[in-house]
Amino acid sequence: MSVRKKFHTGFVLSGGFIKGFAHLGAIQALIEHDIRPDIISSTSAGSLVGALYADGNEPYQVLEFFDGLKFYDFTKPVLPTTGFFELDELQEFLKSHLKRGRIELLPVPMVITATDLDHGKSVFFRKGDIAQCVAASCCMPVLFSPITIKGTHYVDGGVLMNLPVSPIREECQQIYAINVSPLLTPDYKLNIINIAERSYQFIFRSNTVAEREMADVLIEPVNLSGYSNMDLDKSKEIFMAGYEKAKEVLDN
């Protein structure tokens, strides 16, 4: 006899930095197919847009929050001891746009994944300060200084789990996973910056292999590799890439 699950539908939103806007487009397509989440599991960029959606905003409204903004509006450069930037401005951005301050108060339950740098493990926040937990989840090592929560240092959730299906798999009847960072091998330049960036991409993407297999429906936009993490002005294009891919998957 099958066990009744706590939630019918779960959405899983991967990391992907600027590519996170594709999540919003995919969610819009899912909504148009009468599919809405009962719970969201997310990491990194997926946590950022996911929290704003779970707070009661439609995808296009979340997209509008970023109009006219640039990368440096969310970061503050610091002396590079633990990172080149701090994410205080990102936290302030979230606080200014969120109606609720804590994860457990969101209309759509949410699980935010971050990496515990001190103990080397994934942590799944279901309670706590939304802005702080999202910043921790988005905190790419070296680029950003770790976020400290209750004495523990956290970095990007994608370091260990860039597509967090397993945290909610046993709770959901149906899971739609949106992976905006599929494992691709496009051409690249052989220099120190590109080698470092490509190595990070492989680390983040390779840990999704087992998680992808747990999803019931997998949506993976594959045409996002050309976007720079500074391309906030391309957010609508990225949104549409996620929208079109989700429509293609759902209509087939």
Side-chain angles (χ1 to χ4, degrees):
M1 188 174 80
S2 62
V3 178
R4 182 175 176 81
K5 306 285 189 179
K6 184 177 181 181
F7 301 106
H8 183 274
T9 302
F11 284 6
V12 177
L13 311 180
S14 75
F17 217 120
I18 194 72
K19 297 187 288 292
F21 290 112
H23 286 307
L24 295 171
I27 292 171
Q28 181 62 42
L30 285 159
I31 290 170
E32 291 175 8
H33 282 73
D34 295 322
I35 303 166
R36 288 183 181 264
D38 300 306
I39 187 171
I40 295 172
S41 177
S42 63
T43 193
S44 199
S47 294
L48 173 58
V49 298
L52 291 165
Y53 171 74
D55 193 44
N57 302 290
E58 293 301 313
Y60 68 88
Q61 293 175 305
V62 176
L63 189 65
E64 289 172 358
F65 292 158
F66 294 87
D67 273 356
L69 297 178
K70 296 179 171 57
F71 172 82
Y72 295 104
D73 292 318
F74 300 99
T75 61
K76 179 175 69 177
V78 292
L79 289 174
T81 53
T82 57
F84 289 100
F85 300 93
E86 289 182 346
L87 288 173
D88 294 351
E89 278 71 14
L90 175 64
Q91 294 191 54
E92 290 304 315
F93 167 82
L94 281 165
K95 289 174 182 176
S96 68
H97 287 88
L98 288 165
K99 306 176 192 71
R100 293 98 178 158
R102 297 188 61 81
I103 299 169
E104 62 269 30
L105 299 179
L106 289 168
V108 180
M110 192 167 183
V111 183
I112 296 174
T113 299
T115 300
D116 179 341
L117 186 63
D118 299 340
H119 304 96
K121 62 181 182 179
S122 293
V123 173
F124 311 112
F125 292 107
R126 293 174 182 254
K127 296 181 179 180
D129 182 279
I130 298 171
Q132 192 177 46
C133 292
V134 167
S137 184
C138 291
C139 191
M140 185 178 289
V142 182
L143 184 60
F144 303 121
S145 296
I147 301 295
T148 305
I149 301 175
K150 296 182 179 179
T152 298
H153 299 94
Y154 291 93
V155 295
D156 197 306
V159 171
L160 294 178
M161 189 178 291
N162 204 41
L163 187 68
V165 177
S166 55
I168 63 168
R169 177 64 276 184
E170 295 304 313
E171 302 173 57
C172 297
Q173 292 181 38
Q174 187 89 350
I175 287 183
Y176 293 81
I178 307 166
N179 181 22
V180 299
S181 295
L183 189 58
L184 303 174
T185 54
D187 294 335
Y188 68 101
K189 296 178 181 178
L190 196 63
N191 60 48
I192 191 168
I193 298 297
N194 279 272
I195 291 169
E197 182 179 6
R198 187 172 175 81
S199 297
Y200 264 123
Q201 290 171 350
F202 283 157
I203 292 168
F204 279 52
R205 293 171 181 175
S206 63
N207 67 42
T208 67
V209 174
E211 299 290 318
R212 290 168 77 255
E213 298 301 317
M214 298 183 206
D216 297 294
V217 178
L218 181 65
I219 299 168
E220 287 187 319
V222 295
N223 55 343
L224 302 175
S225 59
Y227 291 101
S228 160
N229 287 331
M230 301 292 182
D231 283 343
L232 273 170
D233 59 324
K234 305 288 181 61
S235 59
K236 291 182 175 63
E237 291 180 23
I238 299 169
F239 177 101
M240 289 307 300
Y243 177 78
E244 294 298 339
K245 183 60 181 181
K247 273 180 59 67
E248 176 188 323
V249 170
L250 296 168
D251 289 340
N252 288 337

